[in-house]
Amino acid sequence: MGTASRSRADIGVVSGFVLRILRESTPRPQTALAEHLGIDLGTLQGWESGRRPLGNVRTMDLLRLRRTLALLGADGALLGWLDAAMDADRILTAVLRPPGDPATHPLAGWVQSRETAHLVAWAVRGITPPALQTRAVRSRRGPVPAGPQLAASDRADFFTHLRRTVESAGQAGERGLLLRRQSLYLASYDPAPDAEAWAEQALRTMRPALALRAYTPRWIEARTAATVAARQGDPAPLHDFVDALAGDQHSELANLAYWGYWLGSMPPNQPDDGYLHQPDTATWNPLHLFQQLVGSLHEAPGTVDLYVHSLSTLLRLHPWLPLADTAAAQHLRERAAGLLDTRPLSPVSRRDLESVHYRLQQTN
């Protein structure tokens, strides 16, 4: 094992790397930051390398670290990634060294944020989170990694263990659904040749939820099954899911609530999927959600249909949004025109996009 020389519970590579680029944004050398913190250089080096995980640091010491970085002029947006980075380390640790009780797995006890999922993917696949691409690129001397690196054996073990977590999630009781769907989402990053076939098999127990035409507690299973299938190259389930959304108001609002959580338009404080059962439009920031949906509009087959329908629903609820951010509205108007001309869409999505494009032209 790549981490055989230390306990699996000591994984801290993600938070350590985020701390490194935070410190470099000040910009200060390690010696200067260590001096400001009143710690020895070896401690700071241990944090940045992951040998001494930030997740094991006392709360008051972590608070002092954050405030010192802020006082030294660290990138404010990047500071917000530190919690997600520590959460990513917890997930890596739990997958590589599963807890005895699956119900205590971090993927069973909290709805992960998009930032956390992207940071996990960075560690196991080398995929730099889009929001960090410019911040993470920096010329360095010597053999310094370009991202949070797990050993090759650990990266392979991660997906092997993640599959087992998906398959055993039923043992987590009421937390099993959350554990299963979040593990299945991370498993979709698996580059193994058999990953698509395995995902198809794993999705079979969720596929019946796609036949439901109104909201039920299994709605999130349908969304997960449809989006993972689209990531694996099969857009048909997501087309069916979008068609079902169009006929049920609760499902429409639950979809926006899920986007709101995933895209950071509401506080990341949900321990389970219960917030979807009674979605409240007052819990998310509609302008932020509009900006995030426009900025992350994905043109992959199937996925584009979900983005388009979600934007259409959001604009029906809040027709003032294009006036609140004319730059985002202009960008969406241009993207909509291009998609209508070049992208094959489902009939529902084409109607949605035509409606969005017309609405945006009226506010021009």
Side-chain angles (χ1 to χ4, degrees), residues 15-16 32 40 48 74 95 102 115 129 215 238 244 303 306 308 312 315 324 357:
S15 55
D40 62 85
E48 290 194 3
V95 172
E115 289 78 11
Y215 185 88
L238 197 52
T303 307
L306 183 58
V308 165
S312 176
L315 288 171
H357 190 242

Side-chain angles (χ1 to χ4, degrees), residues 28-356:
R28 295 288 196 290
Q30 288 179 326
T31 51
L33 179 56
E35 182 178 348
H36 277 280
L37 290 169
I39 60 176
D40 62 85
L41 180 59
T43 296
L44 179 57
Q45 290 174 333
W47 289 346
E48 290 194 3
S49 68
R51 293 192 307 272
R52 295 184 177 184
L54 282 179
N56 294 344
V57 173
R58 293 184 308 172
T59 303
M60 289 305 297
D61 291 336
L62 189 59
L63 180 62
R64 185 169 73 250
L65 172 62
R66 291 175 183 275
R67 290 183 174 175
T68 300
L69 286 165
L71 286 170
L72 293 176
D75 186 330
L78 191 54
L79 269 171
W81 282 74
L82 209 49
D83 283 345
M86 289 188 287
D87 211 19
D89 283 330
R90 288 182 64 233
I91 291 170
L92 291 170
T93 298
V95 172
L96 289 168
R97 189 183 183 186
D101 180 2
T104 65
H105 197 292
L107 290 174
W110 202 257
V111 182
Q112 67 176 329
S113 67
R114 176 179 60 165
E115 289 78 11
T116 298
H118 284 181
L119 288 169
V120 170
W122 200 9
V124 298
R125 285 294 309 277
I127 303 172
T128 305
L132 300 184
Q133 285 178 351
T134 57
R135 294 178 173 92
V137 176
R138 180 185 175 92
S139 59
R140 301 183 177 97
R141 295 180 180 179
V144 180
Q149 292 187 341
L150 286 181
S153 58
D154 281 344
R155 294 196 297 272
D157 287 347
F158 176 83
F159 290 110
T160 298
H161 286 278
L162 197 59
R163 292 187 186 191
R164 294 173 186 166
T165 300
V166 171
E167 293 160 359
S168 62
Q171 300 172 18
E174 294 182 358
R175 293 285 176 179
L177 175 58
L178 184 62
L179 176 59
R180 179 179 174 81
R181 78 165 181 83
Q182 296 199 129
S183 299
L184 186 58
Y185 178 84
L186 292 177
S188 66
Y189 286 106
D190 190 351
D194 67 335
E196 184 175 341
W198 177 86
E200 172 60 29
Q201 178 67 28
L203 286 168
R204 286 182 182 175
T205 60
M206 291 185 175
R207 288 296 179 98
L210 287 168
L212 303 173
R213 308 306 290 183
Y215 185 88
T216 75
R218 296 191 64 190
W219 176 88
I220 190 60
E221 290 187 52
R223 195 184 194 283
T224 300
T227 53
V228 172
R231 286 172 61 90
Q232 296 291 345
D234 179 10
L238 197 52
H239 288 163
D240 293 340
F241 178 78
V242 171
D243 287 348
L245 279 181
D248 183 68
Q249 184 178 14
H250 189 143
S251 299
E252 295 273 33
L253 293 178
N255 180 56
L256 290 182
Y258 187 90
W259 274 127
Y261 191 89
W262 182 249
L263 296 175
S265 302
M266 59 189 293
N269 57 359
Q270 299 298 332
D272 55 40
D273 293 322
Y275 73 105
L276 299 173
H277 302 339
Q278 294 181 316
D280 181 359
T281 58
T283 60
W284 64 77
N285 181 328
L287 179 57
H288 184 271
L289 181 54
F290 174 66
Q291 292 165 337
Q292 292 297 307
L293 283 170
V294 171
S296 58
L297 178 58
H298 202 302
E299 294 189 24
T303 307
V304 65
D305 298 84
L306 183 58
Y307 274 96
V308 165
H309 187 75
S310 301
L311 281 163
S312 176
T313 305
L314 186 62
L315 288 171
R316 285 200 304 271
L317 286 174
H318 304 288
W320 52 269
L321 286 171
L323 297 175
D325 189 336
T326 56
Q330 174 64 24
H331 180 64
L332 179 57
R333 182 162 54 247
E334 293 170 355
R335 293 291 300 278
L339 289 169
L340 286 169
D341 288 341
T342 63
R343 174 68 62 176
L345 300 165
S346 70
V348 169
S349 296
R350 179 162 289 277
R351 288 196 300 272
D352 285 337
L353 193 56
E354 288 172 346
S355 174
V356 167

